[in-house]
Amino acid sequence: MPRPSDHAVAVTRLLEEAQGPLSADEVRQALAETGIGIATVYRLLKRGVEDGRYIPIEIPNGPTHYEPADRPHHHHFECLTCHRVYDVMGCPGHLDELTPEGFSLESHDVLLRGHCVTCSETPTP
Amino acid sequence: MPRPSDHAVAVTRLLEEAQGPLSADEVRQALAETGIGIATVYRLLKRGVEDGRYIPIEIPNGPTHYEPADRPHHHHFECLTCHRVYDVMGCPGHLDELTPEGFSLESHDVLLRGHCVTCSETPTP
DNA sequence: CTTATAGTGAGAATTAATTATCATCTCGTC
DNA sequence: GACGAGATGATAATTAATTCTCACTATAAG
């Protein structure tokens, strides 16, 4: 019976503590001091999705981000400066009303864009 | 055999008549009988965006789609079966209320997913 | 200790989208 | 007809993200 490796534990903890979904490279950078390789990061993220523990968040024009699967329904905010992705709680709703006649709605994504607190405060990026 | 400059006209007309943004490959396929090459399609789309006549629509996990720049504010619906993208008029609104404190909201995208009329009617999931 | 097994990192390979290259073609102008 | 600027298409090249390969390692079991 294989026991979970330290890397797997670290990645799960990292995703749980993050304020939003992380990309593979963000995970690698955050765990850089452990010497984790990018191949291992991708392996663990892929397995986590297959096991239903992580959810992949597809960002237009950017790498896939990952978050724990047990978060309640929410959406995301992408900072146009630092490109970090943040969770935003809540949902505008009323989306069936937008759906055209005869179309069946299965899911939806709302992606806000702008500048996060950190990047709004900084005068020059 | 179309005169060279006809390609630009054909692409613009195609985008204007479409029910949603089109990808480069969808443009090429729609104009296949003219023998248009993919390089020309990308060239015309790129120039259109640079000139402000077209808007690029980034689809997560898919190629960029393009639509005329003069459409009123709206969002999109992606069919999970045929992967075509359709315009949906209207907007849920109230998005500033979702934006976290200190964040500045500049734009937003809403992407609905499900099955379009055509693919809902066809008894093949 | 010895072995079996899963885990690992470096780097190669793959994939899909897009862009660059370049010889050729078109058309208005001479 | 010849000319030249711009347009074109086939294909090579590039780019970014992700996956694969493989020799090596640590651990646990026997």
Side-chain angles (χ1 to χ4, degrees):
Chain A
M1 205 56 156
R3 69 176 176 81
S5 76
D6 289 347
H7 282 149
V9 174
V11 168
T12 294
R13 230 172 48 112
L14 181 64
L15 292 187
E16 276 168 357
E17 289 169 358
Q19 300 173 43
L22 302 179
S23 68
D25 199 59
E26 285 171 335
V27 169
R28 190 188 52 72
Q29 284 179 43
L31 303 178
E33 69 272 18
T34 71
I36 192 171
I38 193 64
T40 299
V41 173
Y42 275 110
R43 255 190 303 256
L44 295 176
L45 292 176
K46 194 183 182 192
R47 182 180 313 167
V49 172
E50 287 166 357
D51 295 353
R53 292 175 293 112
Y54 305 154
I55 300 280
I57 306 294
E58 315 285 0
I59 301 296
N61 234 356
T64 303
H65 286 53
Y66 299 84
E67 67 183 10
D70 52 17
R71 299 255 161 98
H73 182 74
H74 64 282
H75 294 293
H76 299 102
F77 182 107
E78 181 186 16
C79 177
L80 296 169
T81 301
C82 66
H83 293 102
R84 269 189 280 263
V85 179
Y86 299 86
D87 286 348
V88 305
M89 300 320 290
C91 177
H94 306 292
L95 296 170
D96 347 292
E97 297 170 10
L98 302 184
T99 308
E101 271 296 308
F103 284 46
S104 68
L105 182 62
E106 294 220 346
S107 68
H108 66 274
D109 283 336
V110 176
L111 183 59
L112 310 183
R113 291 177 223 270
H115 299 280
C116 68
V117 207
T118 312
C119 294
S120 293
E121 287 168 347
T122 309
T124 309
Chain B
M1 214 51 153
R3 294 196 300 274
S5 54
D6 285 351
H7 283 328
V9 175
V11 168
T12 294
R13 231 173 47 111
L14 181 64
L15 292 188
E16 277 169 357
E17 289 171 357
Q19 301 174 42
L22 301 180
S23 68
D25 200 59
E26 285 171 335
V27 169
R28 190 188 52 72
Q29 283 179 43
L31 303 178
E33 69 273 16
T34 72
I36 192 172
I38 192 65
T40 298
V41 172
Y42 274 111
R43 253 190 304 258
L44 295 176
L45 292 176
K46 194 183 183 193
R47 181 178 313 168
V49 171
E50 286 166 358
D51 295 353
R53 291 176 293 112
Y54 306 155
I55 299 280
I57 307 294
E58 316 284 0
I59 301 295
N61 232 355
T64 303
H65 286 52
Y66 299 85
E67 66 183 12
D70 52 18
R71 298 256 161 99
H73 181 75
H74 64 282
H75 295 294
H76 299 101
F77 182 106
E78 180 186 17
C79 177
L80 297 170
T81 301
C82 67
H83 294 102
R84 270 190 279 262
V85 180
Y86 299 85
D87 287 348
V88 305
M89 300 321 289
C91 177
H94 305 293
L95 296 170
D96 346 295
E97 299 171 10
L98 302 185
T99 308
E101 271 298 307
F103 285 46
S104 69
L105 181 62
E106 295 219 347
S107 67
H108 66 273
D109 284 334
V110 176
L111 183 59
L112 310 184
R113 290 177 222 270
H115 300 280
C116 67
V117 206
T118 312
C119 293
S120 294
E121 287 169 347
T122 309
T124 308

